[in-house]
Amino acid sequence: MRLLFVCQDCGCHYLVPLGLDYPDGGRASSVWCSACQRAAAARGAVEPAELAAVAVLLAVRALKAALAARPAPTADGRPAKPDRRPTRPAVSSRGRTRPAATRTRLA
């Protein structure tokens, strides 16, 4: 799973490359998406360090919460099967005895 960030300018969600580095050698922002980062660079704005640290912290917390919600793998490494137990209790034998059921047994 990868970290998911929220752009502080436009509010859209975006994925950054692992390690926060683009393939062309540029540094990805944890505060702005790529379009807003280009616009901020054109304005001469500098990425606030405190906001970047908070953005990374929140993204890591969200990733940990998503991983904790997944079922734990079994001993052989395969993912555990989800719980498939019935949501309602089984019908008792008293609940199955209706007058119609008695008539079919007597006939």
Side-chain angles (χ1 to χ4, degrees):
M1 295 182 108
R2 292 177 49 191
L3 297 177
L4 180 69
F5 292 93
V6 178
C7 179
Q8 300 301 313
D9 270 354
C10 63
C12 69
H13 292 82
Y14 65 99
L15 291 170
V16 295
L18 298 174
L20 292 172
D21 289 322
Y22 287 123
D24 62 358
R27 182 85 176 133
S29 173
S30 57
V31 178
W32 299 307
C33 64
S34 59
C36 294
Q37 184 180 7
R38 273 188 243 113
R43 289 192 315 259
V46 180
E47 182 182 80
E50 299 86 16
L51 195 56
V54 169
V56 171
L57 177 70
L58 292 176
V60 168
R61 281 187 183 170
L63 180 64
K64 285 181 181 179
L67 289 175
R70 294 172 59 186
T74 58
D76 58 0
R78 293 182 298 159
K81 293 183 180 179
D83 190 11
R84 298 281 187 210
R85 289 182 283 182
T87 56
R88 293 183 307 211
V91 179
S92 67
S93 61
R94 184 173 281 178
R96 284 191 301 256
T97 57
R98 290 175 264 137
T102 308
R103 272 189 239 117
T104 57
R105 279 191 228 132
L106 294 175

